[in-house]
């Protein structure tokens, strides 16, 4: 079974990062179990979209941008789409990389008692990630991710079990949708941190790295469903844990861990810190990797992960994260631009995915079924709504 697990694990690790952990913490602390349904919807949407991206990668043996670039015949439309994709991914991932490394740093700070090395932790973590990306092949990274995701999952699930949650309350929150007062933006944020545009590019590229036969389609589908489903379970565990924490002022996920300490002991902090460290490292690896795959597809570079230009792109994204964090730079404007760019990118990519995966000339007999199209169109409508809300929020209209 473990030999068949692959790219889905990296996708799950990418969306369960420090940002998702913080949003799940906020949702649980402010609304209890009431918004678990939003996570369930997010996971279903992610499985559907990532399933399409993985199928395209397997059938075409190309990255997502390669396929879109080939199928868009009108030059100006093709150039506009590629410019939006490239700009959103490079700027967005560089801006969010600081948060990924910051999450790993917060986790490590709780596990290391030595105060004197804390200022150097971002640089240390950045160096470890650099070495992993520079010297590792896809197969090695996959094994590392399976281990890290396992640690992360166990840490957060054990944290949730420690709080002795109400099973009836969880089931009600999952299957009886509610929208508490002030909960709309939290729902949008939960979906936005789970259905991540750059993961679509990452998934298609990684699928073709691992599998090259159409006979592997069933394996690809199960890898997507199981891995992303487990990622969703981790997100729910964080929300459930937070609902038991007596906190009002939340800046990051460890605020939850510290508030749990008087109730459940120091082990709560250790489990949360370990999970946050693993989540930060995995997201800090996948964000630069996705940016490099997108750039590689846009410019037609050959050689995969060993291409020098490929390494330069992920190196720049990683360096931006370390610099922003080490010098306490607050890249608010950059992050706001990234939010706008991703708000545009998600519906654009969802539409392009749906279009490509219905083209018989590209997908052959593996094009979408009626049910997949119904789900896909529903997600596209929701993505347009989500994107519009995030853009309006940034420019102050909402």
């Amino acid at each position: 079974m473990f030999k068949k697990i692959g790219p889905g694990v990296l996708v799950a690790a990418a969306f369960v990062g420090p940002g998702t952990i913080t949003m799940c913490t906020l949702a649980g602390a402010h609304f209890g179990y009431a918004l678990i349904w939003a996570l369930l919807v997010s996971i279903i949407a992610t499985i559907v979209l990532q399933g399409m991206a993985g199928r395209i990668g397997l059938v075409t043996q190309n990255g997502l941008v390669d396929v879109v670039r080939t199928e868009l015949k009108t030059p100006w439309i093709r150039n506009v789409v590629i410019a939006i994709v490239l700009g959103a991914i490079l700027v967005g991932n560089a801006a969010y990389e600081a948060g990924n490394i910051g999450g790993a740093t917060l986790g490590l700070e709780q596990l290391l008692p030595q105060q004197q090395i804390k200022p150097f932790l971002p640089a240390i973590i950045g160096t470890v990630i650099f070495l992993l990306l520079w010297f590792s092949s896809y197969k090695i990274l996959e094994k590392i991710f399976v281990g890290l995701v396992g640690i992360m999952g166990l840490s957060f699930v054990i944290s949730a079990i420690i709080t002795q949650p109400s099973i009836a309350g969880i089931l009600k929150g999952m299957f009886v949708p509610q929208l508490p007062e002030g909960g709309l933006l939290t729902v949008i944020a939960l979906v936005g941190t789970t259905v991540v545009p750059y993961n679509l590019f990452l998934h298609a590229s990684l699928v073709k790295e691992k599998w090259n036969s159409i006979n592997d389609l069933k394996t690809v589908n199960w890898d997507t469903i199981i891995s992303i489903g487990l990622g969703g379970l981790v997100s729910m565990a964080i929300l459930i844990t937070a609902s038991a924490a007596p906190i009002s002022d939340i800046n990051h996920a460890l605020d939850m861990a510290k508030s749990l300490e008087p109730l459940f002991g120091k082990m709560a902090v250790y489990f949360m810190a370990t999970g946050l460290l693993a989540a930060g490292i995995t997201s800090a690896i996948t964000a630069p990797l996705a940016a490099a795959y997108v750039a590689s597809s846009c410019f037609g570079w050959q050689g995969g992960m060993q291409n020098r230009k490929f390494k330069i792109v992920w190196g720049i994204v990683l360096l931006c994260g370390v610099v922003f964090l080490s010098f306490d730079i607050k890249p608010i404007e950059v992050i706001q631009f990234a939010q706008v760019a991703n708000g545009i990118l998600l519906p654009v990519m969802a539409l392009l995915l749906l279009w490509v995966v219905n083209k018989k000339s590209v997908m052959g007999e593996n094009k979408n079924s009626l049910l997949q199209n119904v789900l896909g169109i529903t997600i596209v409508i929701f993505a347009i709504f989500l994107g519009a809300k995030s853009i309006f929020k940034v420019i102050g209209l909402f």
Side-chain angles (χ1 to χ4, degrees):
M1 182 183 74
F2 286 107
K3 286 182 180 179
K4 291 184 178 181
I5 288 177
V9 172
L10 275 76
V11 171
F15 76 73
V16 186
T20 299
I21 292 169
T22 301
M23 285 316 307
C24 290
T25 300
L26 286 165
H30 292 161
F31 305 108
Y33 301 146
L35 297 182
I36 295 180
W37 66 267
L39 277 176
L40 182 61
V41 169
S42 303
I43 293 304
I44 293 169
T46 303
I47 288 172
V48 172
L49 291 179
Q50 297 294 159
M52 292 182 196
R55 194 158 18 116
I56 290 170
L58 182 70
V59 172
T60 66
Q61 285 298 294
N62 278 308
L64 205 47
V65 179
D66 294 307
V67 177
V68 169
R69 192 177 57 191
T70 302
E71 293 303 313
L72 287 173
K73 307 299 183 185
T74 308
W76 74 267
I77 296 177
R78 181 171 61 240
N79 293 338
V80 167
V81 169
I82 288 175
I84 290 172
V85 168
L86 191 60
I89 296 296
L90 292 182
V91 175
N93 287 16
Y96 296 136
E97 184 69 353
N100 295 331
I101 296 173
T105 302
L106 280 171
L108 196 55
E109 281 177 358
Q110 297 303 309
L111 300 172
L112 292 177
Q114 296 86 355
Q115 295 290 326
Q116 60 271 26
I117 70 165
K118 287 188 178 181
F120 305 102
L121 288 180
I124 291 169
I125 289 169
T127 302
V128 170
I129 292 167
F130 177 88
L131 293 173
L132 283 173
L133 283 169
W134 187 271
F135 291 107
S136 297
S137 64
Y138 167 73
K139 288 183 178 179
I140 295 171
L141 280 180
E142 189 183 274
K143 290 175 182 176
I144 292 168
F145 268 72
V146 168
L148 286 172
V149 169
I151 292 168
M152 177 173 68
L154 281 174
S155 298
F156 289 130
V157 169
I158 290 171
S159 295
I161 292 170
I162 286 172
T163 66
Q164 298 178 326
S166 162
I167 302 301
I170 292 169
L171 291 173
K172 182 182 176 184
M174 193 178 293
F175 297 112
V176 184
Q178 307 170 58
L179 190 60
E181 187 177 347
L184 178 60
L185 285 180
T186 305
V187 169
I188 292 169
L190 285 172
V191 177
T193 58
T194 307
V195 188
V196 183
Y198 81 71
N199 281 343
L200 300 172
F201 304 97
L202 183 67
H203 200 178
S205 295
L206 294 178
V207 163
K208 72 182 182 66
E209 293 267 359
K210 185 173 178 72
W211 294 294
N212 54 21
S213 170
I214 198 66
N215 296 326
D216 293 314
L217 183 57
K218 190 174 180 180
T219 304
V220 172
N221 290 337
W222 277 113
D223 170 57
T224 303
I225 293 167
I226 292 170
S227 299
I228 294 173
L230 289 174
L233 179 64
V234 171
S235 295
M236 289 180 187
I238 298 162
L239 188 152
I240 290 163
T241 306
S243 68
I247 42 178
S248 56
D249 185 30
I250 303 168
N251 294 309
H252 50 70
L254 277 179
D255 290 336
M256 170 172 68
K258 289 171 183 173
S259 70
L260 288 171
E261 187 176 350
L263 297 174
F264 304 107
K266 191 71 176 174
M267 288 308 293
V269 176
Y270 289 144
F271 279 122
M272 284 296 298
T274 302
L276 188 57
L277 173 62
I281 289 176
T282 53
S283 293
I285 292 173
T286 53
L289 200 59
Y293 272 121
V294 170
S296 180
S297 290
C298 285
F299 297 112
W301 299 335
Q302 302 298 317
M305 289 180 65
Q306 303 311 311
N307 183 289
R308 186 173 297 275
K309 293 174 184 175
F310 185 97
K311 291 182 175 183
I312 288 171
V313 172
W314 64 246
I316 290 171
V317 172
L318 178 58
L319 181 63
C320 286
V322 174
V323 168
F324 285 155
L325 204 62
S326 298
F327 294 96
D328 201 28
I329 298 170
K330 305 294 183 188
I332 298 301
E333 292 81 8
V334 181
I335 288 176
Q336 285 183 333
F337 174 79
Q339 287 176 331
V340 172
N342 281 333
I344 297 168
L345 184 62
L346 181 56
V348 167
M349 285 316 304
L351 279 168
L352 285 172
L353 260 182
L354 207 54
W355 174 61
V356 169
V357 89
N358 276 290
K359 285 180 75 75
K360 193 160 186 177
S361 59
V362 176
M363 301 300 295
E365 298 302 315
N366 297 290
K367 68 185 187 72
N368 261 11
S369 65
L370 177 61
L371 176 60
Q372 287 169 326
N373 279 331
V374 170
L375 289 171
I377 290 167
T378 305
I379 293 166
V380 165
I381 293 167
F382 191 59
I384 292 169
F385 169 77
L386 180 71
K389 287 289 187 185
S390 67
I391 293 165
F392 291 155
K393 182 184 174 187
V394 167
I395 63 178
L397 295 179
F398 184 76

